[in-house]
Amino acid sequence: MTITENTATATATTPATGPAPAARVNYAKAAPKAFRALLALDAASREGLDPALVELVQIRSSLLNNCAYCLDMHIKDARKAGEREERLYLLSVWREAPAGLYSAKEQAALALTEAVTRIGDGVPDAVYGRAAEEFEEAELAQLLSLIFTINTWNRIAISTRKVPGIG
C-alpha cells in the first residue's frame, strides 16, 4: 500500500482494490477562510461544556457517520484527557452499558447527538426534552453547536478522504 504525502488525502493501491482513486482537495488549503471560520465555530461550541462530554459527543457522531479520521483523533484526545477505556469501548452501545457508566446528562447528550446526526429521522420531542432537562438553555445551545460542528468535520474528512493517523 502506498500513501500520498498530501495531509488532506491518502490514496492506496493494493491488489484487492486496484488503482488508487484520484487525490482529493486539501480543504484547509483550498478554502482557508471557511476552514478558519469552522475552527472558530468549533472552539466557540466547546465553551462551557465539560471536556469529557465534548469528546463523547464527537466520538459518538463520528461512529454514526463512519468517519474513521475523526474517530481516531477524538479517541486519542479522550485518552490523553484521561477518559476511561471502558467508556470508550462501550460508547457505540451506551444504552446497554452498565448503569452509572454514563451520567444522565451524558446519556441525554448522546441521545441528542444521535437524533441530530441522523437528522433525516427528525429530533423527537422526548429526546430534545430530556436534553433540555439536563442542560441549561445556553449550555444546550452550546451542545447543539458542538453536534453541528462535529457533523460538519465528519463530512469534510469523509468527502476529502482524510486518513486516520496521517493528518
Side-chain angles (χ1 to χ4, degrees):
M1 176 183 286
T2 19
I3 306 290
T4 67
E5 293 297 320
N6 181 338
T7 59
T9 62
T11 56
T13 303
T14 65
T17 62
R24 302 248 173 133
V25 68
N26 181 325
Y27 184 78
K29 288 183 181 179
K33 192 172 182 179
F35 185 77
R36 285 191 305 273
L38 188 53
L39 286 173
L41 176 61
D42 186 279
S45 71
R46 297 164 185 256
E47 290 179 14
L49 294 176
D50 175 20
L53 178 72
V54 168
E55 293 304 330
L56 292 176
V57 165
Q58 292 179 330
I59 292 167
R60 186 64 187 131
S61 179
S62 298
L63 281 164
L64 294 169
N65 286 323
N66 296 314
C67 184
Y69 180 84
C70 294
L71 187 59
D72 177 65
M73 178 187 354
H74 293 296
I75 287 176
K76 287 175 181 173
D77 289 348
R79 284 182 175 137
K80 285 179 193 171
E83 184 59 75
R84 293 178 16 219
E85 291 294 316
E86 181 182 25
R87 286 168 41 96
L88 295 174
Y89 299 149
L90 295 177
L91 190 53
S92 63
V93 292
W94 64 270
R95 285 181 180 84
E96 289 78 32
L101 187 62
Y102 302 103
S103 70
K105 191 170 192 172
E106 289 170 336
Q107 291 177 28
L110 292 170
L112 186 62
T113 298
E114 290 176 358
V116 173
T117 298
R118 296 176 173 144
I119 197 70
D121 298 333
V123 178
D125 289 339
V127 170
Y128 189 89
R130 181 176 174 199
E133 288 174 8
E134 293 292 334
F135 293 88
E136 297 295 327
E137 186 174 52
E139 192 179 26
L140 180 58
Q142 290 299 117
L143 175 61
L144 285 166
S145 295
L146 178 70
I147 298 166
F148 303 155
T149 305
I150 188 57
N151 273 278
T152 300
W153 284 126
N154 289 163
R155 281 152 178 77
I156 291 169
I158 292 166
S159 299
T160 61
R161 286 199 180 130
K162 295 210 34 113
V163 175
I166 292 183

